Amino acid sequence: MGSTEQEVFCVQSWLARDQGRRARPIEILRPQQVGCWTKESVKSATQAGQYSYGSKNGLMEFASPQLPQDLNEGYPEAFERKPEDEGTPVETIIRGAMHSSTLSNLGPRQQQQQQQCFEQQHARGLIQGADVVTFRNNLNKICGTPLSPRDGWVVEACMHNNTLFLDISKSEQASFPDADRFNYYGYKFESLCTAVPPQGSEIDGGGRPEAPTTSRGHPIVDSTSEYAILVKVKLGQQSILMAAEVDCVDPAAQSVAPGSTSSGGSPATPMAPYLELKTYKIPDHPGQRKTLYSQKYPKWWLQSFLAGVPELILGGRDNKGFLKEVQRIPVQELPSAAEKAGHKWDAWKLLRFGEDVLGWMQSVSRLHPGQALRFEYKPDQGRISWSARHGDDTLAQRLQQILPN
């Protein structure tokens, strides 16, 4: 890899140029859900760890938990952790886009075009209209760089048939005391806030199976199952097909099924009922208060905004891990709430940065079509660089197998 200015993206230079663009919004089109899937728990007797495309079995309903609650209950024996070697390849999104449940959400003309593409083995459809195909995790890292300039990241990429595919790359994370326990707190809060799957789900009888417990009777806190949505979103000039995990659904909100139509006859999007669940430590002093509003709030905003999730359920805990308060806040109010608390941040800056970085990544990748690349942000250098990847089982080889020319 060369080292000229054209071959790297200088973060500090971008931030300096962006000072004059403060609070300037970019064009955003409301995310539209086009598909979904459930990843089954590793404890499933018949489908352990498998993806059930089109299934809503993993979508739980929100129920307000009783207070107070001890988030330490059951730890560590009740914690079903995700396998350390588990990956979520971008092929998951491709299979979701190709599944019949996703195709049924398209209009008749689009379905006809999709079928023709299948016959030609191009598997285009939704992918064909996307500049970028990725999991939300990658966009969180990229767009969040101005917020956390000391946190490095790595993203694997490949330009295939003029679409940039981004794969999640697990980088070494900084460890801190009790990280596993705090991770458990988050999943424990989710388990306390979720009741039964929505009516009409595919679980027999419409009810949730009896939750498994430990030998001591503590409910298992399972982090290995999930419900994910597949959405189309426009970030400035970038058309993105993105997958994102959703925590639960509000049973009181009016749900619109994917594929149904509004009075105008266009496909409706069922985003209104979705909720994100987050835990935080109730601030004891100004430093913790600043961290909550200037770090956690923008991260929560970015994560939810990208997927079109409209509301957050925030669980506040004390130093001992006891859940003391639960509040509900619209995602769009997070910036103003932080500003009122004296910790203003520019939400649009995160999106402007993401749009520009994605555009640069596309420019680089177009010069190396069909080649596996790695994009890496190194905080000590203050820049994003790229390198070519070689060897077996690269992203380029995997895309060639699932999306042949």
Side-chain angles (χ1 to χ4, degrees):
M1 185 193 75
S3 59
T4 66
E5 183 68 15
Q6 294 179 344
E7 293 181 325
V8 299
F9 188 100
C10 183
V11 174
Q12 293 301 322
S13 296
W14 185 94
L15 292 174
R17 293 193 305 270
D18 192 64
Q19 285 298 318
R21 301 190 293 176
R22 182 170 178 78
R24 180 185 68 82
I26 65 174
E27 181 184 4
I28 299 290
L29 295 184
R30 185 184 300 274
Q32 177 187 2
Q33 180 176 337
V34 294
C36 68
W37 64 73
T38 290
K39 183 180 180 184
E40 306 293 345
S41 167
V42 297
K43 292 295 187 180
S44 172
T46 58
Q47 295 179 301
Q50 294 185 19
Y51 291 88
S52 299
Y53 295 103
S55 170
K56 296 182 181 180
N57 282 354
L59 180 58
M60 299 289 108
E61 286 188 349
F62 172 73
S64 296
Q66 294 182 349
L67 297 176
Q69 292 274 0
D70 184 5
L71 297 180
N72 296 283
E73 183 186 35
Y75 183 82
E77 64 272 10
F79 195 9
E80 187 64 48
R81 299 167 182 83
K82 293 182 179 181
E84 292 185 3
D85 58 348
E86 180 182 70
T88 310
V90 73
E91 291 97 314
T92 306
I93 300 178
I94 297 172
R95 293 188 180 99
M98 294 166 56
H99 195 264
S100 58
S101 63
T102 300
L103 300 184
S104 65
N105 293 328
L106 304 177
R109 181 178 178 182
Q110 291 174 300
Q111 288 184 42
Q112 182 180 7
Q113 293 173 344
Q114 188 86 349
Q115 183 61 38
Q116 293 172 350
C117 291
F118 273 8
E119 293 174 356
Q120 299 169 7
Q121 295 185 333
H122 282 293
R124 291 175 179 264
L126 292 171
I127 297 173
Q128 176 181 307
D131 298 314
V132 179
V133 174
T134 183
F135 281 95
R136 179 176 56 181
N137 179 277
N138 284 326
L139 298 185
N140 289 340
K141 291 187 291 187
I142 294 171
C143 296
T145 304
L147 180 67
S148 305
R150 296 181 181 179
D151 295 340
W153 49 259
V154 174
V155 172
E156 307 291 343
C158 181
M159 180 69 74
H160 185 90
N161 291 340
N162 208 37
T163 295
L164 180 63
F165 292 84
L166 302 182
D167 214 14
I168 294 176
S169 177
K170 287 189 176 182
S171 54
E172 186 174 345
Q173 300 292 324
S175 60
F176 55 91
D178 276 340
D180 186 67
R181 182 184 293 271
F182 294 152
N183 194 30
Y184 178 80
Y185 284 169
Y187 286 108
K188 180 69 172 180
F189 179 61
E190 288 185 19
S191 68
L192 292 172
C193 288
T194 49
V196 299
Q199 292 183 355
S201 71
E202 299 162 20
I203 291 181
D204 291 341
R208 185 179 183 181
E210 184 176 350
T213 60
T214 66
S215 58
R216 298 182 179 180
H218 297 304
I220 296 295
V221 176
D222 192 349
S223 69
T224 67
S225 62
E226 68 180 42
Y227 172 78
I229 57 175
L230 188 62
V231 300
K232 296 192 299 183
V233 61
K234 189 76 177 293
L235 180 61
Q237 299 300 312
Q238 305 295 330
S239 297
I240 302 172
L241 181 63
M242 181 188 74
E245 183 178 354
V246 173
D247 291 331
C248 61
V249 65
D250 181 358
Q254 183 177 1
S255 179
V256 181
S260 64
T261 58
S262 62
S263 59
S266 59
T269 57
M271 312 306 290
Y274 291 141
L275 300 170
E276 289 276 1
L277 304 175
K278 298 294 181 184
T279 57
Y280 67 96
K281 183 183 176 300
I282 300 172
D284 289 330
H285 54 75
Q288 292 179 349
R289 183 177 175 86
K290 179 181 179 181
T291 297
L292 175 63
Y293 287 113
S294 65
Q295 290 294 316
K296 290 188 179 295
Y297 265 41
K299 289 181 179 179
W300 294 341
W301 176 87
L302 178 64
Q303 180 182 18
S304 301
F305 185 86
L306 288 172
V309 177
E311 287 192 288
L312 289 169
I313 304 294
L314 304 181
R317 64 170 179 84
D318 63 14
N319 287 324
K320 296 182 178 180
F322 278 81
L323 184 68
K324 294 289 189 179
E325 60 186 34
V326 175
Q327 60 175 314
R328 186 167 183 158
I329 182 171
V331 171
Q332 64 182 8
E333 293 182 9
L334 290 175
S336 60
E339 184 175 2
K340 289 179 181 178
H343 301 287
K344 184 178 180 179
W345 40 272
D346 183 2
W348 294 104
K349 174 185 287 188
L350 307 180
L351 302 181
R352 291 194 298 267
F353 183 84
E355 179 193 17
D356 288 351
V357 171
L358 289 176
W360 172 75
M361 293 170 73
Q362 286 178 303
S363 297
V364 171
S365 300
R366 287 194 183 99
L367 298 176
H368 307 274
Q371 186 171 4
L373 305 178
R374 168 173 286 181
F375 291 93
E376 182 173 6
Y377 169 59
K378 298 181 179 180
D380 57 337
Q381 299 179 5
R383 67 183 191 180
I384 305 170
S385 58
W386 66 272
S387 60
R389 302 285 290 165
H390 303 285
D392 297 331
D393 197 32
T394 64
L395 177 57
Q397 293 170 325
R398 287 158 37 208
L399 289 176
Q400 187 65 34
Q401 292 176 357
I402 195 171
L403 294 172
N405 290 321

